[in-house]
Amino acid sequence: MSAPRSGREARPRATMKQVAALAGVGIKTVSRVINEEPNVSAATAARVWDAISALDYQPDLQAGSLRRADGRTRTLGLLVGSVDNPFAGAIHRVIEDLAAEQGVAVFASSLDDDPARESSAIRAFLQRRVDGLILTTASHRPDYLPQLRQRGIPAVFVDREPQADGVDTVASDNRAGSQAGVAHLIAGGHRRIALLTDRLDLITATDRRDGYLDALSAAGIPRADALMISDLHDVDAARAATARLLSADEPPTAIFSAQNLVTIGALHALRDANRSRSVALVGFDDLPLADLLEPGVTVVAQDPHEIGRLAAERLFALLAGSDAPASRIVVPTMLIPRGSGEIAPEI
């Protein structure tokens, strides 16, 4: 599926001289304000910051010797959910490897699913004059998109697709993958299947929730029978939620955990309750050493290497001048049975 791309004509970047002229001060005063040096009155600093905002001026933090005649810095900005998440780490690695082949350095930052932190990271990337961006977003409509377009800075989104026209996205088929994972549990005889998922304001969590509901509907299981717990953003929250489910009067016979950290929390709770061999579990996204646990963890595996490769190739094509329409590339998932998802319900 593709959408028309907005124009990428770059607006000339404002200079410190222009900021000084608009604020009615000298260039050295602008420099002192930006670097938060003393001996500048509050009124003068306010005028300078107003001028910076009006001109959308970004201080250049790159050393002059690193600038090229074509204005490129040979750098990219990469924003991922969290650099300590294995899925994000795999995307980071493949992008970094491909960028190195092009002689390009990668600045990486964690999002932690915080829109404020996302905006801060984008500002930092722009200050460093990155040539392009590969982004995971926590926002449905990122407020910085118009700025990127005005500046002619290409961006490719990974994992999550913002609700905006003319953006390039590479993401997993989250809904279909979740439906396949839950359908696998249903085929094994389960009817009381719990869903453990992340915050539903994240598009990935919403898609995976919808895939869970699709599978229940296809099997004739009423939505009223769905067991769904959301807003589980880390291992501890998932562990506690799973423990509550297992101690209920009618506990689930199977669990579909829709995020890798959630799966880890569920595994801890199952072990704590000595239920690892009696409650089935399918997790969305693979885990390190998942095949070495007993039982092995059945997963709906994403392909972060392919996601990262496609995103990097698309961004480099844009930097090379491609005018192809924006595209949404969907990377299939794969169900990997290892044992935990094949546990039959207790009679």
Side-chain angles (χ1 to χ4, degrees):
M1 181 177 71
S2 64
R5 180 184 302 284
S6 300
R8 293 187 178 275
E9 293 78 15
R11 187 177 67 182
R13 288 170 172 164
T15 65
M16 189 179 289
K17 184 177 181 180
Q18 290 171 323
V19 172
L22 183 60
V25 299
I27 291 177
K28 288 185 179 179
T29 300
V30 175
S31 178
R32 290 192 186 100
V33 171
I34 290 173
N35 292 301
E36 299 181 348
E37 295 178 7
N39 302 322
V40 179
S41 71
T44 298
R47 291 205 313 275
V48 170
W49 284 118
D50 286 344
I52 288 172
S53 177
L55 294 171
D56 190 25
Y57 173 71
Q58 298 290 339
D60 189 354
L61 302 183
Q62 289 290 96
S65 61
L66 298 180
R67 302 286 294 179
R68 294 164 56 92
D70 60 4
R72 295 282 179 86
T73 61
R74 309 296 292 173
T75 60
L76 302 179
L78 171 64
L79 185 62
V80 295
S82 176
V83 294
D84 62 0
N85 186 302
F87 173 75
I91 289 177
H92 183 180
R93 182 55 187 265
V94 71
I95 290 172
E96 193 170 54
D97 288 348
L98 292 173
E101 294 175 4
Q102 302 276 346
V104 172
V106 177
F107 295 127
S109 182
S110 293
L111 165 67
D112 288 338
D113 293 333
D114 180 352
R117 183 163 180 170
E118 178 180 352
S119 295
S120 176
I122 297 300
R123 287 195 299 271
F125 289 147
L126 294 181
Q127 288 175 351
R128 285 161 176 78
R129 305 289 192 185
V130 296
D131 299 327
L133 296 162
I134 296 177
L135 306 171
T136 301
T137 181
S139 306
H140 289 285
R141 294 179 175 85
D143 58 7
Y144 50 79
L145 279 177
Q147 185 180 20
L148 299 184
R149 286 166 173 161
Q150 288 172 351
R151 291 176 168 273
I153 298 175
V156 178
F157 287 85
V158 293
D159 191 29
R160 300 172 190 158
E161 180 179 18
Q163 294 178 356
D165 293 331
V167 296
D168 286 286
T169 307
V170 183
S172 298
D173 196 342
N174 290 286
R175 185 165 182 167
S178 290
Q179 182 174 5
V182 178
H184 182 72
L185 292 168
I186 293 170
H190 295 278
R191 304 281 291 181
R192 191 167 177 79
I193 303 168
L195 169 71
L196 303 178
T197 191
D198 207 333
R199 290 171 16 207
L200 292 177
D201 60 335
L202 302 174
I203 187 63
T204 45
T206 301
D207 285 347
R208 293 170 194 176
R209 187 262 331 258
D210 291 346
Y212 164 84
L213 293 173
D214 290 344
L216 296 190
S217 177
I221 300 174
R223 180 165 181 159
D225 291 345
L227 297 172
M228 296 185 288
I229 300 179
S230 61
D231 295 325
L232 305 176
H233 194 53
D234 56 33
V235 171
D236 291 339
R239 185 176 189 170
T242 306
R244 291 194 299 272
L245 282 171
L246 296 176
S247 63
D249 292 338
E250 294 185 74
T253 64
I255 293 170
F256 181 72
S257 52
Q259 195 246 30
N260 55 3
L261 298 181
V262 173
T263 300
I264 293 172
L267 287 168
H268 277 293
L270 288 169
R271 184 193 61 183
D272 294 343
N274 196 27
R275 302 295 303 276
S276 298
R277 295 178 181 276
S278 59
V279 176
L281 172 69
V282 173
F284 196 104
D285 207 6
D286 210 352
L287 304 170
L289 307 181
D291 57 333
L292 298 182
L293 297 177
E294 186 56 46
V297 183
T298 297
V299 297
V300 176
Q302 300 188 84
D303 191 344
H305 295 278
E306 183 70 358
I307 291 172
R309 182 186 70 80
L310 291 169
E313 289 182 352
R314 178 59 176 158
L315 185 61
F316 284 123
L318 293 172
L319 288 170
S322 171
D323 59 358
S327 63
R328 179 177 185 267
I329 302 175
V330 178
V331 179
T333 58
M334 177 184 296
L335 179 69
I336 304 177
R338 295 192 179 117
S340 69
E342 292 68 56
I343 297 171
E346 294 180 337
I347 299 176

